[in-house]
Amino acid sequence: MLFDGFALIIRTVNDVPYRFCLGGSGTLLMLLHGRPETHAMWHKVAPALAAHYTVLCPDLHPERSLTQQADDLLGLADNLGHESLILAGQDYGARVACEVAGQEPSRVKALVLLEALPGPDHSGRDDMAFSLTQYESCWFGQLHPKPEANAVQIPAEWLDDPIAENSFFSPEAVEDYLSAQVWRSDTPFSWPVSRPDLHCPVLVLWGAKGRIGGWYTPVLPWLAVSTGTVTGHALPAEHFLPEEAPEETLAAIQDFLSNIS
């Protein structure tokens, strides 16, 4: 059973229904999922965090703008009676987390950003190899199965029935990813072109086997947009850190938050 001890709730904020798991007590800690997942991606780390925090894992609404979603999440925090909050976001969820921090910097006490960069700056990295790993126009210049994987937009193993026993993805979580409507809107989401302006402590985590750490020194771009302290390191994973390396992800978050007053 995913999220043991948590409640699955649907609550309307700004006329938008938000589905989320909620558990624990203490300062509010929002865990925001990335693409193409749902709140279920946090099921391996959320229960342990709930021992010290009120943990909220919502499904995002990428059909809404980042500004709208940030306003929704702050409204949800108000609805639950929390003034201060901490946010952790993976991939797309990291950008939503940054938007929340930008809107209400006095309320956000810390950010944990997984597999994310602050903006679209690829200066000095736009050689052919970089292009072939990043951009849609080059998908079909790559070897199988890369073009097909990008066209489908989900890991191929999600379509295996049953999912391999050695997969780090939980079958229950994958069922939620494939059945939820989060990424099926007719209105495509877009990445922001502006960089965030952050003032709280930031922890940056990335996969040692992934692309972000291969092309960047990920802490440096976040230092450029932050006035608070920025720390970070790689984890033994590729991209889906809370599922590939849950123990390491949990330990990194706990260690970081233990130093946040």
Side-chain angles (χ1 to χ4, degrees), residues 19 36-39 59 173-184:
R19 182 182 71 143
E37 299 178 294
T38 67
H39 74 276
D59 283 348
V174 171
E175 182 180 359
D176 194 73
Y177 303 154
L178 296 178
S179 62
Q181 298 296 313
V182 174
W183 301 104
R184 298 184 184 181

Side-chain angles (χ1 to χ4, degrees), residues 17 37 48 51 56 62 69 77 84 93 97 99 118 121 140 143 148 163 192 195 202 219 233 240 259:
E37 299 178 294
L56 170 65
Q69 289 184 84
S84 299
E99 186 68 24
D121 181 14
F140 291 93
L143 297 176
E148 293 81 0
I163 291 179
R195 288 170 171 266
V202 176
V219 169
H233 58 272
F240 300 99
N259 295 311

Side-chain angles (χ1 to χ4, degrees), residues 171-235:
E172 291 178 88
V174 171
E175 182 180 359
D176 194 73
Y177 303 154
L178 296 178
S179 62
Q181 298 296 313
V182 174
W183 301 104
R184 298 184 184 181
S185 172
D186 292 333
T187 304
F189 76 90
S190 59
W191 293 100
V193 296
S194 61
R195 288 170 171 266
D197 183 17
L198 306 177
H199 303 283
C200 62
V202 176
L203 173 66
V204 182
L205 300 172
W206 63 94
K209 307 173 191 174
R211 295 187 307 196
I212 286 182
W215 289 105
Y216 298 87
T217 302
V219 169
L220 297 182
W222 290 106
L223 280 170
V225 298
S226 304
T227 60
T229 58
V230 180
T231 57
H233 58 272
L235 298 180

Side-chain angles (χ1 to χ4, degrees), residues 2 9 26-27 63 78 93 95 104 112 114 142 164 179 185 196 200:
L2 304 184
I9 301 169
T27 301
E63 79 281 0
D78 292 337
R95 293 301 291 122
E104 293 286 349
V112 181
L114 297 82
Q142 300 178 61
S179 62
S185 172
C200 62

Side-chain angles (χ1 to χ4, degrees), residues 157-176:
E157 66 187 279
W158 289 9
L159 302 178
D160 293 340
D161 188 19
I163 291 179
E165 291 184 2
N166 62 350
S167 173
F168 55 77
F169 290 113
S170 161
E172 291 178 88
V174 171
E175 182 180 359
D176 194 73

Side-chain angles (χ1 to χ4, degrees), residues 36-53:
E37 299 178 294
T38 67
H39 74 276
M41 68 163 286
W42 296 102
H43 71 95
K44 293 182 180 179
V45 300
L49 291 170
H52 302 284
Y53 302 92

